[in-house]
Amino acid sequence: MLSTRVGKVLSAAGLPIDGEVVKGVYMGKGTWGGNGEVMESVCPSTGEVLAKVATATAAETSEAVKRAREAYKTFRKVTGPKRGEIIRQVRNAIAEHKSALGALVSLEMGKIISEGEGEIQEYIDICDYAIGLSRSAAGRVLKSERPGHQILEVANPLGVVGIITAFNFPVAVCGWNFALCLAVGNATVWKPSPTTPLCAIAVTRIVADVLEKNGIDGAVASLVCGGLEAGEALVNDKAVDLVSFTGSERVGQIIGTKVQSRFGKILLELGGNNCAIVAPSANLDLALRTLVFAAAGTAGQRCTTTRRLILHRSIADKFLPRLVKAYENLQTRVGDPLKSHTLIGPLHTRGAKDTFFKALEQVKREGGEILVGGESYAPSSGDLKQGHYVLPAIVKPASPESPIFQEETFAPMLSVAIYDDLDQAIGWNNGVRQGLSSTLFTTDMREMGKWISEEGSDCGLVNVNVATSGAEIGAAFGGNKSTGWGRESGGDAWKQYVRWSSCTINFTDDAPLAQGVNFE
């Protein structure tokens, strides 16, 4: 029997509360199914089974791709402005359900309610961006060296895009991909994380309704919930032109190799051992407020969470005790993510909790120390006793060369190091495999200029006096090195979802050759 708390959220999102198995496969034209393994969606706050979901077999995944390909052949001929109008309707439909969907994200993923609603707002925002893009996505006209010739660079739809998303942003990351794909004329097949299928089902139902009301085959936005079987079928299918994957480096490397082996396109958003540097001239009040959210928010489960903090020696003794105190104050704000008072919700799974404690043990084993937090937390409410709650930790590893400092721990653990020279701090920032997000707190313009230059951070996101997390949709999002080199969301990210052609046109009766070649 579901608790009243859970029942209200599921009902508001249009999901059953009577134990009915939810169908997790959508192939357009009102077709919902799922003949694969029945998986459970488990609430990280309480340990309750929210619902059982029928997932996709390999054959169903292949069929979903096939139907998406057929739908694409028609959808690609829909004009850009018409596609933009459909995106506008999707945007409005999602906005109408913002509160319900935000609560569902909070319930199924575990992030606090304001972040859950913020994630839905991010989906809305990228739709706003894509509406304009549908009219403005353009190629170029280039001058030819040959008289009477013009050169065009033309962007056409790519085809079918497979979107594989992670648990920590169960809605927004699909939105980044889906909205841009729709704007340029592609079809998509979404495979969400096996642990957050309900968010995907609820969103897909809304999107499918909009598409079908506009006479568009809903297979343009197909859905295959499932695990390894569905994922492998999607990745290996030659009819999937691009695979966008968000997740671990290990899995990303496997997927990237498989897709590239069949000459498909790949977009990877992988790990991030993100770093914040606090310089002597920094506004320490600003740095403190920013870092508490960046390091402890979402219980440390954002790709862009600050995992390493590098403090200048001259301010370390002043700043670090204040940060420790702020973490101590956070301990009274751990609990039910659906409550507005809560700032720290649960970790997503029991495995994530185990990873957190193993990392803390490694800190001590390597000769480091735990400055604050690092304990399990038992909420006073009986409903929450089976949740995966911990107290966010600040640790001081034995040295910046320690393995624990070099490796990403996907949990609320912030590692601290002390630097003497900015070049030293930049070297530590750049000295890890990943290159996702970084920030420098300073009021010194010379340091600021160096930080964003060729001598500075090698990350995809290079911030100044801003958190490593919480990126807006207007700029392209993504990282370098083993983070995967992918770019999603705004900026020029849309250019990855199209097929580019260079077209030379001769509008004369002459046939001159380039480079002055004479073949007469």
Side-chain angles (χ1 to χ4, degrees), residues 44-61:
S45 306
T46 64
E48 291 174 86
V49 175
L50 300 175
K52 294 183 177 181
V53 177
T55 65
T57 63
E60 284 177 304
T61 303

Side-chain angles (χ1 to χ4, degrees), residues 33-45:
N35 295 315
E37 177 187 359
V38 175
M39 291 184 168
E40 292 181 341
S41 172
V42 179
C43 177
S45 306

Side-chain angles (χ1 to χ4, degrees), residues 195-382:
T195 58
T196 53
L198 300 182
C199 291
I201 291 167
V203 169
T204 298
R205 287 179 176 179
I206 293 169
V207 171
D209 183 61
V210 172
L211 292 171
E212 290 168 8
K213 284 179 178 177
N214 281 273
I216 302 295
D217 186 348
V220 164
S222 295
L223 175 71
V224 288
C225 292
L228 183 62
E229 183 180 2
E232 286 187 335
L234 185 63
V235 166
N236 292 328
D237 199 318
K238 293 181 180 179
V240 178
D241 300 279
L242 183 150
V243 174
S244 172
F245 170 77
T246 301
S248 71
E249 293 171 61
R250 182 184 64 82
V251 176
Q253 190 169 41
I254 294 170
I255 289 176
T257 300
K258 287 186 175 183
V259 174
Q260 288 177 339
S261 72
R262 61 174 178 82
F263 297 103
K265 292 185 71 176
I266 189 74
L267 196 165
L268 299 174
E269 298 284 3
L270 310 177
N273 196 357
N274 312 299
C275 179
I277 300 170
V278 182
S281 68
N283 179 330
L284 297 186
D285 291 336
L286 170 65
L288 182 67
R289 294 196 308 272
T290 303
L291 283 167
V292 172
F293 169 72
T298 328
Q301 297 171 109
R302 289 184 178 228
C303 303
T304 51
T305 292
T306 302
R307 310 207 179 277
R308 297 179 295 149
L309 173 60
I310 303 176
L311 301 173
H312 191 270
R313 192 174 302 277
S314 66
I315 54 93
D317 289 342
K318 182 190 308 182
F319 184 79
L320 194 51
R322 293 180 62 190
L323 185 61
V324 168
K325 180 65 176 176
Y327 265 58
E328 290 173 346
N329 292 338
L330 272 183
Q331 295 178 0
T332 64
R333 310 288 294 275
V334 179
D336 185 352
L338 290 172
K339 301 292 186 182
S340 59
H341 175 76
T342 301
L343 293 181
I344 307 295
L347 289 171
H348 186 59
T349 64
R350 175 69 59 184
K353 192 173 181 180
D354 292 342
T355 296
F356 177 64
F357 289 122
K358 286 178 182 177
L360 293 169
E361 285 300 315
Q362 185 178 346
V363 170
K364 292 186 286 187
R365 202 165 52 244
E366 293 176 358
E369 58 180 319
I370 299 171
L371 303 181
V372 66
E375 301 160 359
S376 189
Y377 178 78
S380 57
S381 171

